[in-house]
Amino acid sequence: MEETRSRSEWQRTFRTFAEEVMAPHVRRCDEERAFPTAIHERAAAEGILNAAFPEELGGSGLSCTEFGQVIGELSAVCPGMTWTLVFNRGALHPVVAAGTPEQKELFVTRLLKDNGYAALGLTEPENGSNLLAATTRAVRTDSGWLLNGGKCMSGNGTVADVFVVLANTVVDNRKRGLSFFAVPRDSPGVTVGEDIEKAAFRCLPTPSVTFRDVALEPISLIGRAGDGEILLNELLATIRIGGAACGTGIVAAMLKDALAWVGERRVYPDDRLDTLSHVRLTLGRLYVELCAARELLERATALADRGLPFGKESSMAKYYATELAVRASNEILQLYGWRGIAADHGVEKRWRDARALTIFEGSSEIQLLNVFREMRRAATGEGGL
């Protein structure tokens, strides 16, 4: 593997990996709800498993723009497998962004060297999208912290070596706000449940995790106590990029397959589907919308790569791309007729995965609320809307 690659070379590398390594296992992993272990072993061997991490931490230093593109390439084949492959970058973002050199070495560099996994502990069963209302608590003790609580829908949780957990912090009997903690899986008091059965992203394990009197050393606190909300906003903006890229990958794959289908399928003896005006109009419109979704994504990633705020842009990109994926999969499934709901063509799987994307990593409603807040701020400023 070359140490440096161009943007187009990375894109080709991931596209080839998706088509040659991932594609033959998509249906089996979906039906069996199987974590794609063999896929990960190949990704690690080819040096692409954790490519989005900075080079000094053991990655290949992909930019945010490049990372978004390669997620799109992988998601065109299987969003669930993609999530398992790239989840480390999102889960470890608080450590990469705010960790000390010692924490980065312990929780990132060593983990990547061992091809290990990290999982996020954000969502709680009763709080849903309101992550700020976390009931998981970390109380400072003489020797560190004592963590109690529970999280659900923890991506890659069944295979995780470390959990990056959002908790309300208590110091000297006073609440200090939210904080992130790196919690080793083998810590006494950590219990990882079974993977839940889901309609989509079936090969991505998403168990519940409980923390009962888990004693943590001081090094487990990421950043300063109470700074978790700032880190959370940065984290959410980052993982929304992945959701948007995944949406564009689904739409691109469905359009490519649909073009071949309508060119072959005959509805009458002499009429192929692609001769019908409403079919051409539908696919043409969806392609325009795909291009628009990609532009929104590129705008967000370009800002991120320049170190500028990109929260609003990532919310717009995530909302538009994932809602488009749902709409496109609905319309294209209809073109396939009964074959669209059969497993053979893969349309129904992409339909299921697209629907889940409007909930994962922040629901569509949350994205619109984020955009509304920024829109109102802009409307009262000098530049206006």
Side-chain angles (χ1 to χ4, degrees), residues 91-164:
L92 291 170
H93 178 81
V95 186
V96 175
T100 64
E102 185 181 6
Q103 288 173 326
K104 292 178 182 179
E105 170 65 25
L106 178 61
F107 299 122
V108 181
T109 303
R110 291 187 191 177
L111 188 78
L112 302 190
K113 185 177 180 181
D114 294 336
N115 294 324
Y117 299 98
L120 276 173
L122 298 180
T123 306
E124 297 184 358
E126 303 304 322
N127 296 338
S129 297
N130 188 9
L131 301 180
L132 301 182
T135 59
T136 299
R137 283 162 54 96
V139 179
R140 176 169 284 173
T141 64
D142 292 338
S143 58
W145 301 88
L146 194 65
L147 182 70
N148 281 279
K151 301 293 182 176
C152 63
M153 294 298 292
S154 184
N156 276 0
T158 60
V159 297
D161 302 285
V162 63
F163 293 90
V164 179

Coordinates of all heavy atoms in Angstrom, one line a residue, residues 91-164:
A91 N -16.8 7.0 17.0 CA -16.8 6.7 18.4 C -15.6 7.3 19.2 O -15.8 7.8 20.3 CB -16.8 5.2 18.6
L92 N -14.5 7.4 18.5 CA -13.3 7.9 19.2 C -13.0 9.4 18.9 O -12.0 9.9 19.3 CB -12.1 7.1 18.7 CG -12.0 5.6 19.2 CD1 -10.9 4.8 18.5 CD2 -11.8 5.6 20.7
H93 N -14.0 10.0 18.3 CA -13.8 11.4 18.0 C -13.5 12.3 19.2 O -12.6 13.1 19.2 CB -15.0 12.0 17.2 CG -14.9 13.5 17.0 ND1 -14.2 14.0 15.9 CD2 -15.4 14.6 17.6 CE1 -14.2 15.3 15.9 NE2 -14.9 15.7 17.0
P94 N -14.2 12.1 20.3 CA -13.9 12.9 21.5 C -12.5 12.8 22.0 O -11.8 13.7 22.4 CB -14.9 12.4 22.6 CG -16.0 11.9 21.8 CD -15.4 11.3 20.6
V95 N -11.9 11.5 21.9 CA -10.5 11.3 22.3 C -9.6 12.0 21.3 O -8.6 12.7 21.6 CB -10.2 9.8 22.3 CG1 -8.8 9.6 22.9 CG2 -11.2 9.1 23.2
V96 N -9.9 11.9 20.0 CA -9.0 12.5 18.9 C -9.1 14.0 19.1 O -8.1 14.7 18.9 CB -9.5 12.1 17.5 CG1 -8.7 12.9 16.5 CG2 -9.3 10.6 17.3
A97 N -10.2 14.6 19.4 CA -10.4 16.0 19.5 C -9.9 16.6 20.8 O -9.4 17.8 20.8 CB -11.9 16.4 19.3
A98 N -10.1 15.9 21.9 CA -9.8 16.6 23.2 C -8.9 15.7 24.1 O -8.7 16.1 25.2 CB -11.1 16.9 23.9
G99 N -8.5 14.6 23.7 CA -7.7 13.7 24.5 C -6.3 14.2 24.7 O -5.7 14.9 23.9
T100 N -5.7 13.8 25.8 CA -4.3 14.1 26.1 C -3.4 13.1 25.2 O -3.9 12.1 24.7 CB -3.9 13.9 27.5 OG1 -4.1 12.5 27.9 CG2 -4.8 14.8 28.4
P101 N -2.1 13.4 25.0 CA -1.3 12.5 24.3 C -1.3 11.1 24.9 O -1.3 10.1 24.2 CB 0.1 13.1 24.4 CG -0.1 14.6 24.5 CD -1.4 14.7 25.3
E102 N -1.4 11.0 26.2 CA -1.4 9.7 26.9 C -2.8 9.0 26.5 O -2.8 7.8 26.3 CB -1.3 9.8 28.4 CG -1.2 8.5 29.1 CD -1.1 8.7 30.6 OE1 -1.2 9.9 31.1 OE2 -1.0 7.7 31.4
Q103 N -3.9 9.7 26.6 CA -5.2 9.1 26.2 C -5.2 8.7 24.8 O -5.8 7.6 24.5 CB -6.3 10.1 26.5 CG -6.5 10.3 28.0 CD -7.5 11.5 28.3 OE1 -7.5 12.5 27.6 NE2 -8.3 11.3 29.3
K104 N -4.7 9.5 23.9 CA -4.7 9.1 22.5 C -3.9 7.9 22.2 O -4.3 7.0 21.4 CB -4.1 10.3 21.6 CG -5.1 11.5 21.6 CD -4.5 12.6 20.8 CE -5.4 13.8 20.8 NZ -4.8 15.0 20.1
E105 N -2.8 7.7 22.9 CA -1.9 6.5 22.8 C -2.7 5.3 23.3 O -2.7 4.2 22.7 CB -0.6 6.7 23.6 CG 0.2 5.4 23.7 CD 0.7 4.9 22.4 OE1 0.9 5.7 21.5 OE2 1.0 3.7 22.3
L106 N -3.3 5.5 24.5 CA -4.0 4.3 25.1 C -5.3 3.9 24.4 O -5.5 2.7 24.2 CB -4.3 4.7 26.6 CG -5.1 3.6 27.4 CD1 -4.2 2.4 27.5 CD2 -5.4 4.2 28.8
F107 N -6.1 4.9 24.1 CA -7.5 4.6 23.6 C -7.6 4.6 22.1 O -8.6 4.1 21.5 CB -8.5 5.6 24.2 CG -8.6 5.5 25.7 CD1 -8.3 6.6 26.5 CD2 -8.9 4.3 26.3 CE1 -8.4 6.5 27.9 CE2 -9.0 4.2 27.7 CZ -8.7 5.3 28.5
V108 N -6.6 5.2 21.4 CA -6.7 5.3 19.9 C -5.6 4.4 19.3 O -5.8 3.4 18.6 CB -6.7 6.7 19.4 CG1 -6.8 6.7 17.9 CG2 -7.8 7.5 20.0
T109 N -4.3 4.9 19.5 CA -3.2 4.2 18.8 C -3.1 2.8 19.0 O -3.0 1.9 18.1 CB -1.9 4.9 19.1 OG1 -2.0 6.3 18.8 CG2 -0.7 4.3 18.4
R110 N -3.2 2.4 20.3 CA -3.1 1.0 20.7 C -4.3 0.2 20.1 O -4.1 -1.0 19.6 CB -3.0 0.8 22.2 CG -1.7 1.3 22.8 CD -1.7 0.9 24.3 NE -0.6 1.6 24.9 CZ -0.3 1.5 26.2 NH1 -1.1 0.8 27.0 NH2 0.7 2.2 26.8
L111 N -5.5 0.8 20.2 CA -6.7 0.1 19.7 C -6.6 -0.2 18.2 O -6.9 -1.3 17.7 CB -7.9 1.0 20.0 CG -9.2 0.3 19.7 CD1 -9.6 -0.6 20.8 CD2 -10.3 1.4 19.6
L112 N -6.1 0.9 17.4 CA -6.0 0.7 16.0 C -4.9 -0.3 15.6 O -5.1 -1.1 14.7 CB -5.7 2.0 15.3 CG -6.7 3.2 15.5 CD1 -6.3 4.3 14.6 CD2 -8.1 2.7 15.4
K113 N -3.8 -0.3 16.4 CA -2.8 -1.3 16.1 C -3.2 -2.7 16.3 O -2.8 -3.6 15.6 CB -1.6 -1.0 17.1 CG -0.4 -1.8 16.8 CD 0.8 -1.4 17.7 CE 2.0 -2.3 17.5 NZ 3.1 -1.9 18.4
D114 N -4.1 -2.9 17.3 CA -4.6 -4.3 17.5 C -5.9 -4.6 16.8 O -6.5 -5.6 17.0 CB -4.9 -4.4 19.0 CG -3.7 -4.3 19.9 OD1 -2.6 -4.6 19.4 OD2 -3.8 -4.0 21.1
N115 N -6.3 -3.7 15.8 CA -7.5 -3.8 15.1 C -8.7 -4.0 16.0 O -9.6 -4.8 15.7 CB -7.4 -5.0 14.1 CG -6.4 -4.8 13.0 OD1 -6.2 -3.6 12.5 ND2 -5.7 -5.8 12.6
G116 N -8.7 -3.2 17.1 CA -9.8 -3.3 18.0 C -11.0 -2.4 17.6 O -11.0 -1.7 16.6
Y117 N -12.0 -2.3 18.5 CA -13.2 -1.6 18.2 C -13.6 -0.7 19.4 O -13.4 -1.0 20.6 CB -14.4 -2.5 17.9 CG -14.1 -3.4 16.7 CD1 -13.7 -4.7 16.9 CD2 -14.3 -2.9 15.4 CE1 -13.5 -5.5 15.8 CE2 -14.1 -3.8 14.3 CZ -13.7 -5.0 14.5 OH -13.4 -5.8 13.5
A118 N -14.2 0.5 19.0 CA -14.8 1.4 20.0 C -16.2 1.5 19.7 O -16.7 1.4 18.6 CB -14.1 2.7 20.0
A119 N -17.0 1.8 20.7 CA -18.5 2.0 20.6 C -18.9 3.2 21.4 O -18.2 3.6 22.4 CB -19.3 0.8 21.1
L120 N -19.9 3.9 20.9 CA -20.4 5.1 21.6 C -21.5 4.7 22.6 O -22.4 3.8 22.3 CB -21.0 6.1 20.6 CG -20.0 7.0 19.9 CD1 -20.7 7.8 18.8 CD2 -19.4 8.0 20.9
G121 N -21.5 5.4 23.7 CA -22.6 5.3 24.6 C -23.3 6.6 24.8 O -23.0 7.4 25.6
L122 N -24.3 6.9 23.9 CA -25.0 8.2 23.9 C -26.5 8.0 24.2 O -27.0 8.7 25.2 CB -24.9 8.8 22.5 CG -23.5 9.2 22.0 CD1 -23.6 9.9 20.6 CD2 -22.8 10.1 22.9
T123 N -27.2 7.2 23.5 CA -28.6 7.1 23.6 C -29.0 6.3 24.8 O -28.4 5.3 25.1 CB -29.2 6.4 22.3 OG1 -28.7 7.1 21.2 CG2 -30.7 6.4 22.3
E124 N -30.0 6.8 25.5 CA -30.6 6.1 26.6 C -32.1 5.7 26.3 O -32.7 6.4 25.6 CB -30.5 6.9 27.9 CG -29.1 7.2 28.3 CD -29.0 8.0 29.6 OE1 -30.0 8.3 30.2 OE2 -27.8 8.2 30.0
P125 N -32.5 4.6 26.8 CA -33.9 4.1 26.5 C -35.0 5.1 26.7 O -35.9 5.2 25.8 CB -34.1 2.9 27.4 CG -32.7 2.4 27.7 CD -31.8 3.7 27.8
E126 N -34.9 5.9 27.7 CA -36.0 6.8 28.0 C -35.9 8.2 27.4 O -36.8 9.0 27.5 CB -36.3 6.9 29.5 CG -36.5 5.6 30.2 CD -37.7 4.8 29.6 OE1 -38.7 5.5 29.2 OE2 -37.6 3.6 29.4
N127 N -34.7 8.5 27.0 CA -34.4 9.9 26.5 C -34.4 10.1 25.0 O -34.6 11.3 24.6 CB -33.0 10.4 27.1 CG -33.0 10.4 28.6 OD1 -34.0 10.5 29.2 ND2 -31.8 10.3 29.2
G128 N -34.3 9.1 24.3 CA -34.4 9.2 22.8 C -33.4 10.2 22.3 O -32.2 10.2 22.5
S129 N -33.9 11.2 21.5 CA -33.0 12.2 20.9 C -32.5 13.3 21.9 O -31.5 14.0 21.5 CB -33.8 12.9 19.8 OG -34.2 12.0 18.8
N130 N -33.0 13.3 23.1 CA -32.6 14.3 24.0 C -31.3 13.8 24.8 O -31.4 13.4 25.9 CB -33.7 14.7 25.0 CG -33.4 15.8 25.9 OD1 -32.4 16.5 25.7 ND2 -34.2 16.1 26.9
L131 N -30.2 13.9 24.1 CA -29.0 13.4 24.7 C -28.5 14.2 25.9 O -27.8 13.7 26.8 CB -27.9 13.4 23.7 CG -28.1 12.5 22.4 CD1 -27.0 12.6 21.4 CD2 -28.4 11.1 22.8
L132 N -28.9 15.4 26.0 CA -28.5 16.3 27.1 C -29.2 15.9 28.4 O -28.8 16.3 29.5 CB -28.9 17.8 26.8 CG -28.2 18.4 25.6 CD1 -28.6 19.8 25.4 CD2 -26.7 18.2 25.6
A133 N -30.2 15.0 28.3 CA -30.9 14.6 29.5 C -30.4 13.3 30.0 O -31.1 12.5 30.6 CB -32.4 14.5 29.2
A134 N -29.1 13.0 29.8 CA -28.5 11.7 30.2 C -28.7 11.5 31.7 O -28.4 12.4 32.5 CB -27.1 11.7 29.8
T135 N -29.1 10.3 32.0 CA -29.2 9.9 33.4 C -28.0 9.1 33.9 O -27.9 8.9 35.1 CB -30.5 9.1 33.7 OG1 -30.5 8.0 32.9 CG2 -31.8 10.0 33.4
T136 N -27.2 8.7 33.0 CA -26.0 8.0 33.4 C -25.1 9.0 34.1 O -24.9 10.1 33.7 CB -25.2 7.5 32.1 OG1 -26.1 6.5 31.4 CG2 -23.9 6.8 32.5
R137 N -24.6 8.6 35.3 CA -23.8 9.5 36.1 C -22.5 9.0 36.4 O -22.2 7.8 36.6 CB -24.6 9.7 37.5 CG -25.8 10.6 37.4 CD -26.7 10.4 38.6 NE -26.0 10.5 39.9 CZ -26.0 11.6 40.6 NH1 -26.6 12.7 40.1 NH2 -25.4 11.7 41.7
A138 N -21.5 10.0 36.4 CA -20.2 9.7 36.9 C -19.8 10.6 38.1 O -19.9 11.8 38.0 CB -19.2 9.9 35.7
V139 N -19.6 9.9 39.2 CA -19.3 10.7 40.4 C -17.8 10.6 40.8 O -17.3 9.5 40.8 CB -20.2 10.1 41.6 CG1 -19.9 10.9 42.9 CG2 -21.6 10.1 41.3
R140 N -17.2 11.7 41.0 CA -15.8 11.7 41.3 C -15.6 11.1 42.7 O -16.3 11.4 43.7 CB -15.2 13.1 41.3 CG -13.8 13.2 41.7 CD -13.2 14.6 41.4 NE -12.9 14.7 40.0 CZ -12.4 15.8 39.4 NH1 -12.3 16.9 40.2 NH2 -12.2 15.9 38.1
T141 N -14.6 10.3 42.7 CA -14.1 9.6 44.0 C -12.7 10.0 44.3 O -12.0 10.7 43.5 CB -14.3 8.1 43.9 OG1 -13.3 7.6 42.9 CG2 -15.7 7.7 43.5
D142 N -12.2 9.5 45.4 CA -10.8 9.8 45.7 C -9.8 9.2 44.7 O -8.7 9.7 44.5 CB -10.5 9.3 47.1 CG -11.2 10.0 48.2 OD1 -11.6 11.2 48.0 OD2 -11.4 9.4 49.3
S143 N -10.2 8.1 44.1 CA -9.3 7.4 43.1 C -9.7 7.6 41.7 O -9.0 7.1 40.8 CB -9.3 5.9 43.5 OG -10.6 5.4 43.4
G144 N -10.7 8.4 41.4 CA -11.2 8.6 40.0 C -12.6 8.9 39.9 O -13.1 9.9 40.3
W145 N -13.4 7.9 39.3 CA -14.8 8.1 39.0 C -15.6 6.8 39.2 O -15.0 5.7 39.0 CB -15.0 8.6 37.6 CG -14.3 9.9 37.2 CD1 -13.1 10.0 36.7 CD2 -14.8 11.2 37.4 NE1 -12.7 11.3 36.6 CE2 -13.8 12.1 37.0 CE3 -16.1 11.7 37.8 CZ2 -14.0 13.5 37.0 CZ3 -16.2 13.1 37.8 CH2 -15.2 13.9 37.4
L146 N -16.8 7.0 39.6 CA -17.7 5.8 39.7 C -18.9 6.0 38.8 O -19.7 7.0 38.9 CB -18.2 5.7 41.1 CG -18.9 4.4 41.5 CD1 -17.9 3.2 41.4 CD2 -19.5 4.4 42.9
L147 N -19.0 5.1 37.8 CA -20.0 5.3 36.7 C -21.2 4.4 36.9 O -21.0 3.2 37.1 CB -19.3 5.0 35.4 CG -20.2 5.1 34.1 CD1 -20.5 6.6 33.8 CD2 -19.4 4.5 32.9
N148 N -22.4 4.9 36.8 CA -23.6 4.1 36.8 C -24.6 4.6 35.8 O -24.7 5.8 35.5 CB -24.3 4.2 38.2 CG -23.6 3.4 39.3 OD1 -23.9 2.2 39.4 ND2 -22.7 4.0 40.1
G149 N -25.3 3.7 35.2 CA -26.3 4.0 34.2 C -26.4 3.0 33.1 O -25.9 1.8 33.2
G150 N -27.0 3.4 32.0 CA -27.2 2.4 30.9 C -27.4 3.1 29.6 O -27.9 4.2 29.5
K151 N -26.9 2.5 28.5 CA -27.1 3.1 27.1 C -27.7 2.0 26.2 O -27.6 0.8 26.5 CB -25.7 3.5 26.6 CG -25.0 4.6 27.4 CD -25.7 5.9 27.4 CE -24.9 6.9 28.2 NZ -25.6 8.3 28.1
C152 N -28.3 2.4 25.1 CA -28.8 1.5 24.2 C -28.4 1.9 22.8 O -27.8 2.9 22.5 CB -30.4 1.4 24.3 SG -31.2 3.0 23.9
M153 N -28.6 1.0 21.8 CA -28.3 1.2 20.4 C -26.8 1.6 20.3 O -26.4 2.5 19.6 CB -29.2 2.2 19.8 CG -30.6 1.8 19.7 SD -30.9 0.4 18.6 CE -30.4 1.0 17.0
S154 N -25.9 0.8 20.9 CA -24.5 1.1 20.9 C -23.9 0.4 19.7 O -23.6 -0.8 19.8 CB -23.9 0.7 22.2 OG -22.5 1.0 22.3
G155 N -23.6 1.1 18.7 CA -23.1 0.5 17.4 C -21.8 -0.2 17.7 O -20.9 0.4 18.3
N156 N -21.6 -1.4 17.1 CA -20.4 -2.2 17.3 C -20.2 -2.6 18.8 O -19.1 -3.1 19.2 CB -19.2 -1.6 16.8 CG -19.0 -1.8 15.3 OD1 -19.8 -2.5 14.7 ND2 -17.9 -1.2 14.8
G157 N -21.3 -2.5 19.6 CA -21.1 -2.7 21.0 C -20.7 -4.1 21.4 O -20.0 -4.3 22.4
T158 N -21.2 -5.1 20.7 CA -20.9 -6.5 21.1 C -19.4 -6.9 20.8 O -18.9 -7.8 21.4 CB -21.8 -7.5 20.3 OG1 -21.6 -7.3 18.9 CG2 -23.3 -7.3 20.6
V159 N -18.8 -6.1 20.0 CA -17.4 -6.4 19.7 C -16.4 -5.4 20.3 O -15.2 -5.4 20.1 CB -17.1 -6.6 18.2 CG1 -17.9 -7.7 17.6 CG2 -17.5 -5.3 17.4
A160 N -17.0 -4.3 20.9 CA -16.2 -3.2 21.4 C -15.2 -3.6 22.5 O -15.5 -4.3 23.4 CB -17.1 -2.1 21.8
D161 N -14.0 -3.0 22.4 CA -13.0 -3.1 23.4 C -13.1 -1.9 24.4 O -12.6 -2.0 25.6 CB -11.6 -3.1 22.8 CG -11.5 -4.3 21.8 OD1 -11.3 -5.4 22.3 OD2 -11.5 -4.0 20.6
V162 N -13.7 -0.8 24.0 CA -13.8 0.4 24.8 C -15.1 1.1 24.4 O -15.5 1.1 23.2 CB -12.6 1.3 24.7 CG1 -12.5 1.8 23.2 CG2 -12.7 2.5 25.6
F163 N -15.8 1.7 25.4 CA -17.0 2.4 25.2 C -16.7 3.9 25.5 O -16.1 4.2 26.6 CB -18.1 1.9 26.1 CG -18.6 0.6 25.7 CD1 -18.0 -0.6 26.3 CD2 -19.6 0.4 24.7 CE1 -18.5 -1.8 26.0 CE2 -20.0 -0.9 24.4 CZ -19.5 -2.0 25.0
V164 N -17.1 4.8 24.6 CA -16.9 6.2 24.9 C -18.3 6.7 25.3 O -19.2 6.8 24.5 CB -16.4 7.0 23.7 CG1 -16.3 8.5 23.9 CG2 -15.1 6.4 23.2

